[in-house]
Structures are given as structure tokens and as C-alpha cells.
Amino acid sequence: MAQKVLKHKVGLEHHGIRNVKHSFWNLSTPELYEHIIRNQEGHLSHLGPVVVTTGEHTGRSPNDRFIVQEPSSQENVWWGKVNEPFQMDKFDSLYERVLAYLQGKNVYVQDCMAGSDPNYQLHIRVITEYAWQSLFARNMFIQIKDRVKLENHSPAFTIIAVPNFKAVPKIDGTNSETFIIIDFSKQLILIGGTHYAGEIKKSIFSVLNYLLPHRHKVLSMHCSANMGEEGDTAVFFGLSGTGKTTLSTDPHRKLIGDDEHGWSEEGVFNFEGGCYAKAIRLNPEAEPDIYACTRRFGTILENVVMDPATRRLDLDDASLTENTRAAYPLTHIAHTVEDRRGGHPKNVIMLTCDAYGIMPPVAKLTPEQAMYHFISGYTAKVAGTERGMSREPTAVFSTCFGAPFMVLHPSVYANLLGQRIADHHVHCWLVNTGWTGGPYGVGERLSIAHTRAMINAILDGKLSSVETRPDPIFGIHVPTSCPDVPAEVLNPRNTWKNPKAYDEKANELAAQFIENFKEYEDAVSREILEGGPRLPNGKKASIKKIK
């Protein structure tokens, strides 16, 4: 069936794209399905999801991400290992080569938006050479449903994704054949050499992490958010694998979003129109809503193993990657906030997946401790979420629980968070979804049932009045009881067979916290520094440089 012809105020020529074979604009989900199957990009699975594979890249490539160093943004960007500079002339040259590559090829265009608050929306355009990546953009971003608005759409930022185009490092100045490059002056993102669709999603998140705090004093957050029956909003900070999506997708609360949000002076709002959930070993009992999405038309399943004859899925099969993914629109979830917006959070929960088995499963934080742990961003990277990782979790510190996507200095985000917590008297918590009874390989992963019980007790207000004890090393306030959770689980030291081994590992982890935080000592107050752990000799970190 021929595509409905629309006039486009801003066409492909605006981006320098010419002489393409066919351009397909804003195709619907069924139309994209037809293209995906016809192009042999993916397969239709049992009950309707489309299954695709991403080849060599089954996770992000952080070492291949760059920001163009240009006059309009160079003094604001937090340059370093995370935000590696890219030369303007090299970007222009690479862009020309990408434009030449697209000649004679089919391209798919999705015009959409990022940001559910109209005051802070970013109009974007995603141009891809694959129909399935166009469906990914349609699922993940906010659709423009008005025909007239689509015709007159003028993108403030454009992504051009060309997975089959490979850079030549000696010519293009990249680190490898893969590249994810953001140019704030041209309002353009180039992605090539990788089929992993997560790069599309996270590149726009990086853009918002620059624009919103810098221009609008809106805190951009790597977090999920949901809302209770009384309208109380909760925010869940955390990196991939910590449980943001699982714990915020709660049948008793309405989901605002699972991964990226802004916190303005009016409240919290989702950046996205969909979810990008980990699919490996999904449990239909523990994660019923997400599991159900893997059985629905419109969902994209990345690297999920499927029986070629029956087309039935095996969500437990990690032979392609541990980082199997399901990308689906928020409308697939039964309990959602329709406008994807909420009020100021009553509770902020910081999720950590502690591979050492040291951190308590739940603890209350003072505002200063919350700031310390937000800046620290301690967790474990779960196997598969980034290229080149081992199968075992690796303990890391990712500032603001999202360092790979933070374009400004961490102090910008931390100061905004501290201001919001103080202004709205927010309760702050640390929840460990990692190991108990010992480190990875010795202990076991904390049960989702126990973690959910702790989250429920937080959100119901039941933990606020419970007696707590200060952790002797980390100083955070650990409840002595929690409904539906055995008391011995709450004290991690009690779960180890050898308490002395726990003490040694706890001191080791405390030392890592303190060493990591030295990078931020100049930018924080004495009170925030005092919110950190104690060294084995009982001393705090040095405060000689603290203002």
C-alpha cells in the first residue's frame, strides 16, 4: 500500500540529504512492521512482538561517544573521559561522508518529541536506514499525532543513524569504526557503526542533560518515577540493572516513566513515550507488566532468542547477550499517568546493585548523605550493558547515577537536586538490589519480593517511623524492622557466614568511596563530605580543600 503523501515544511534537504531512493515519513507501527518483514530486518514472534538482532554491538559503546568542541558549548561541557572532544572539521568531513553514503538508499524518518512538559519539550527528528530503528524511535519518544503539526514540524535536534556505515579512524578521528557524536551548534547527532538502538535513546538524553539544567534550571535525572493513588510521586535513581524499571512498574501505582525525567519548579515529567526494559530472565510473577509487554504487538525485542519454527521466545537464553531488551510504548502498560507528569516527589530512592554484598538492603538518608550518594553513584555495572564488559558485575562509581550521559559538571546536577530536596522536604532512601550473604559468586541476589516489600513500606510511610540504627561504617540509618521482610535480612553483616570477612570488605568499599569522592571535594560543602563513610581508623576523608 502506498504511503500517504504529506508536505513537509522542513524536508531532508534541510539536513543535506539528497538523492535517496525512497524516504518514508512517520510510518505507523503496522506500516513499519510490513517494512521490517519485507526488508528482512527482523522476525515476527509468537503473539506479535518483532525480534531483531544487533550483531556485534549488543550494548552501548561509551568509548566511541564524542561531543564536538565548538564555541557555543565548549565552556559549559564537562570535558574528560565521559565527554571526549571531537574536532569541528573532522565532524564536518564525517558528516559529508555520511550524506554521500545515504544517496541511493531508503531512509525512514520519525518526527517526534522528547519531554512531556510542553514548557520544556524538545522537537526531534530521527532519520534511520532501518525500519525497525524507526519503530524504536516511534516507541521511545513522544509521538506527534496531529497531521498539521507533523507537516510543520521543525526539529530542534536531529539524529542520523547509519548502522552500516563504518568510520575510518585514521581519516575520521574516531576511536573505532563506531561513532556517536553530538554537535550542539549544528543541533545534530551522528550515529554509525552500531545497530544497538539504545544509542539513539541515550544520545537525546545527553542533549537534554545539557539543555535543561543549563538553560532552564531543570534537573535532568537518570531515574524512573511513579505515582500513588493519593497523587504522591516517587523517584527511583539508578543505572541499568539496578531495578529502576522493575520496581517503578508497580500494579498498585501508576507509572510516569522508567528511565529519564526532569524535575522542574512545577514537578516531575517524563522525557520519553516508551520503555526500554531489560528482558533477560523476566519473571511473569515478579514482573508481570513488563513480561506482558514481551507478548504484545508493537514491542521490539532486541537480541532475544526465538525458536525459528514456533516463534516462541526464550527469555532465559543469554547466548546472544545478557543485555536483551524490550522497547515498547508506555501505552502497553495498564497503569500509567496519561500525561506522564507528576508533582514534586515525596520520596527519592537511590538504587544500587552492590556486588560486594555490603550495603544494607534499605537505609534512610539525611539530605547531606543523599547528596553524597547521588554524587558518588555507587553500583555495579551488570554484564552486557556496555561493550567489552565481563560477565561478572563490576563495582563502579557513576556520578549522578548516570555519568555516561551527563554533559555538564556533576555539581550542576547535585546542586539542583539539593535545592529540590530542601524546598520540598523530600524523604531520601538508599535501596540495595544487589547481593546479600557475601559478594558476587558467594552470596545471592536479594529477592525482588523483599525489595518490593521495602519499597512499599517506604511509599506507604511505614518506614518513616521505624527505629533505625546507624551503619558503623557508612553512617546511613538502617531500619531495625520492615513489614514482610525478615529482620536478619536488614543487617547485611548478619547474613555473612564470616562477620570478620564482612568487616574487611566493608572497610575496603568505604576506602573506594572516599578515594572516588576526592574528585568532587572542591565542589561540595563540609556537610556533604561528612555524609560519607568512615575510614577504618574512624576518620573522615580529608576536608583541607573544602570551602
Side-chain angles (χ1 to χ4, degrees):
M1 183 180 293
Q3 183 193 1
K4 300 181 292 292
V5 177
L6 292 178
K7 297 179 180 178
H8 300 284
K9 181 179 180 181
V10 180
L12 290 178
E13 65 279 358
H14 174 79
H15 310 289
I17 299 175
R18 296 178 175 83
N19 303 321
V20 298
K21 185 177 181 181
H22 296 291
S23 60
F24 301 98
W25 289 76
N26 299 306
L27 297 188
S28 67
T29 297
E31 288 174 317
L32 286 168
Y33 258 62
E34 292 173 354
H35 282 253
I36 291 166
I37 302 303
R38 185 164 58 240
N39 299 343
Q40 298 184 333
E41 297 174 13
H43 299 280
L44 189 65
S45 70
H46 178 62
L47 297 180
V50 64
V51 177
V52 300
T53 55
T54 60
E56 177 186 4
H57 294 266
T58 58
R60 291 184 300 102
S61 298
N63 294 330
D64 297 308
R65 175 185 175 276
F66 303 90
I67 294 177
V68 176
Q69 194 166 25
E70 46 79 27
S72 74
S73 63
Q74 65 181 3
E75 293 187 3
N76 303 314
V77 174
W78 179 40
W79 299 110
K81 186 177 180 181
V82 170
N83 299 307
E84 189 173 344
F86 200 79
Q87 295 178 26
M88 293 173 62
D89 59 338
K90 289 291 186 183
F91 182 84
D92 293 341
S93 176
L94 179 60
Y95 185 21
E96 289 298 323
R97 299 211 308 118
V98 168
L99 294 177
Y101 167 82
L102 285 173
Q103 294 191 50
K105 291 184 169 56
N106 291 337
V107 296
Y108 294 85
V109 184
Q110 283 290 330
D111 287 325
C112 36
M113 300 179 294
S116 55
D117 188 331
N119 295 316
Y120 308 110
Q121 277 179 343
L122 182 73
H123 288 252
I124 61 177
R125 172 169 289 170
V126 182
I127 303 171
T128 68
E129 59 177 321
Y130 280 125
W132 81 262
Q133 289 196 337
S134 193
L135 177 57
F136 177 87
R138 182 176 177 82
N139 281 353
M140 293 309 306
F141 300 117
I142 299 171
Q143 296 176 22
I144 302 171
K145 298 183 179 180
D146 185 277
R147 181 187 177 98
V148 174
K149 288 183 178 179
L150 270 178
E151 292 178 356
N152 291 282
H153 184 260
S154 180
F157 245 90
T158 299
I159 295 176
I160 300 177
V162 283
N164 291 320
F165 178 94
K166 295 182 178 181
V168 180
K170 288 185 178 179
I171 296 175
D172 298 314
T174 58
N175 290 333
S176 73
E177 295 177 332
T178 302
F179 55 91
I180 305 97
I181 311 174
I182 302 171
D183 188 327
F184 285 102
S185 64
K186 289 185 172 62
Q187 298 172 301
L188 178 65
I189 300 164
L190 297 181
I191 300 175
T194 173
H195 291 69
Y196 181 65
E199 301 288 14
I200 294 173
K201 162 188 164 71
K202 289 304 185 186
S203 63
I204 288 297
F205 184 42
S206 295
V207 168
L208 292 171
N209 282 329
Y210 176 81
L211 296 177
L212 291 180
H214 178 61
R215 294 184 180 178
H216 304 290
K217 304 303 179 185
V218 171
L219 171 61
S220 52
M221 305 178 291
H222 191 210
C223 71
S224 58
N226 64 21
M227 182 187 295
E229 293 181 359
E230 304 299 322
D232 57 298
T233 300
V235 161
F236 302 75
F237 283 104
L239 288 170
S240 175
T242 57
K244 289 195 316 300
T245 300
T246 296
L247 295 172
S248 58
T249 307
D250 184 335
H252 303 293
R253 294 174 65 86
K254 291 184 177 181
L255 181 68
I256 299 174
D258 82 319
D259 195 48
E260 302 171 6
H261 292 80
W263 188 352
S264 70
E265 293 184 355
E266 291 78 38
V268 169
F269 63 96
N270 192 358
F271 290 164
E272 302 178 299
C275 299
Y276 192 44
K278 293 199 73 173
I280 193 70
R281 290 180 286 276
L282 272 176
N283 186 319
E285 295 182 2
E287 301 150 302
D289 290 322
I290 303 172
Y291 182 86
C293 290
T294 66
R295 268 72 180 160
R296 292 199 60 173
F297 180 85
T299 295
I300 301 171
L301 298 175
E302 276 187 338
N303 302 309
V304 171
V305 174
M306 177 187 71
D307 186 297
T310 66
R311 302 301 176 98
R312 292 183 180 273
L313 308 171
D314 185 353
L315 297 181
D316 296 330
D317 192 330
S319 57
L320 293 178
T321 178
E322 283 279 337
N323 193 37
T324 58
R325 292 277 176 171
Y328 49 87
L330 269 168
T331 51
H332 276 18
I333 300 293
H335 309 281
T336 59
V337 177
E338 188 173 351
D339 66 357
R340 305 181 185 92
R341 298 165 67 182
H344 296 292
K346 183 177 180 180
N347 290 283
V348 164
I349 299 167
M350 298 182 184
L351 301 170
T352 180
C353 175
D354 175 26
Y356 284 127
I358 295 300
M359 303 302 288
V362 61
K364 186 158 194 194
L365 306 175
T366 66
E368 292 76 23
Q369 289 171 338
M371 292 285 288
Y372 184 94
H373 284 275
F374 178 71
I375 294 170
S376 297
Y378 168 66
T379 190
K381 283 183 180 176
V382 180
T385 56
E386 290 183 4
R387 190 182 181 203
M389 284 185 59
S390 69
R391 287 193 171 272
E392 295 189 5
T394 304
V396 294
F397 294 89
S398 184
T399 187
C400 307
F401 290 99
F405 323 115
M406 299 301 163
V407 180
L408 305 173
H409 191 277
S411 63
V412 175
Y413 309 102
N415 289 337
L416 281 170
L417 178 65
Q419 178 183 333
R420 298 284 188 266
I421 289 173
D423 289 347
H424 304 288
H425 310 288
V426 181
H427 298 289
C428 300
W429 307 83
L430 184 71
V431 171
N432 175 22
T433 63
W435 276 257
T436 184
Y440 175 84
V442 177
E444 60 183 9
R445 192 84 186 257
L446 283 153
S447 77
I448 293 178
H450 285 162
T451 302
R452 281 200 183 279
M454 297 174 209
I455 296 293
N456 290 339
I458 289 172
L459 300 181
D460 293 342
K462 295 177 180 177
L463 276 193
S464 296
S465 58
V466 168
E467 181 184 354
T468 63
R469 60 168 186 85
D471 184 278
I473 294 175
F474 290 89
I476 53 184
H477 304 277
V478 182
T480 56
S481 65
C482 178
D484 301 318
V485 179
E488 60 270 18
V489 172
L490 299 174
N491 186 340
R493 190 174 188 269
N494 292 343
T495 66
W496 283 52
K497 292 181 179 178
N498 185 344
K500 289 186 178 179
Y502 170 88
D503 294 338
E504 291 176 3
K505 187 62 73 173
N507 287 334
E508 178 184 328
L509 180 57
Q512 291 185 47
F513 263 87
I514 292 168
E515 181 62 29
N516 169 75
F517 210 83
K518 288 180 179 178
E519 182 178 355
Y520 311 109
E521 288 184 354
D522 285 337
V524 303
S525 67
R526 181 188 298 265
E527 289 76 17
I528 292 174
L529 190 65
E530 289 290 325
R534 296 183 181 277
L535 288 167
N537 59 11
K539 293 183 178 179
K540 292 279 185 176
S542 169
I543 58 173
K544 290 186 294 184
K545 298 180 181 180
I546 300 302
K547 298 176 181 178

